[in-house]
Amino acid sequence: LDERFATPTLLGLSRSGSAETREIAVSLLMSQATPEALKALATVDRKGLSRPVAASLQALQTRPILITPRESPKTPREQFRQAFEALLNGDDGPFERLVSSVPDGERDLVAVFGPADLPQLRAVRRHYAARGNQHAIEYYNQFSQILMTLVWRP
């Protein structure tokens, strides 16, 4: 689901749902890695959240774990854009080759991508989530951290 539609719904659930529903909604808001979700999280009442979720929220708001950009990227922006476009069109090959050739390519990605590239990154993250295979959560989390690195501001 596109984050712009999910954020208001998740914020509502974080305020009025059962304890379990609130925890899930807050966790999903944290994973969205959008400026809107981060603003929404600032309004969430932490009372009733479990210690781990409250601690994660506190860490996200004060000092999340971000990816350090590589000073001299090995992969140019256009190569990432083309690989992601191919992936979204059903061809995994170009992206798989990037992953194989530069295993820590996320450091390049956060160095060369900017705000104009966020919609494509979000589409790629949704693509992996929709696959529902054994790698889906790993890729979802990796792209969430990439997105957070690109959008988070103290």
Side-chain angles (χ1 to χ4, degrees), residues 47-148:
K47 290 181 185 171
L49 294 177
S50 67
R51 283 186 183 160
V53 171
S56 291
L57 180 55
Q58 176 67 29
L60 177 67
Q61 292 173 326
T62 58
R63 191 175 175 101
I65 299 171
L66 303 176
I67 299 166
T68 303
R70 192 181 326 273
E71 287 186 31
S72 297
K74 299 175 182 179
T75 307
R77 177 180 179 268
E78 193 54 35
Q79 192 172 358
F80 278 118
R81 291 195 52 77
Q82 289 172 0
F84 291 150
E85 189 63 33
L87 178 74
L88 294 172
N89 288 319
D91 181 5
D92 293 12
F95 183 62
E96 288 177 4
R97 285 189 292 279
L98 279 180
V99 171
S100 294
S101 65
V102 185
D104 64 344
E106 66 274 7
R107 295 188 61 216
D108 293 343
L109 186 56
V110 299
V112 300
F113 264 36
D117 302 304
L118 294 175
Q120 186 183 41
L121 278 175
R122 292 185 192 293
V124 168
R125 181 174 68 167
R126 284 191 296 274
H127 171 83
Y128 275 112
R131 283 188 165 176
N133 64 23
Q134 69 273 24
H135 304 293
I137 194 66
E138 176 186 345
Y139 274 115
Y140 184 88
N141 289 338
Q142 186 67 47
F143 278 99
S144 293
Q145 188 179 27
I146 290 164
L147 287 161
M148 187 61 70

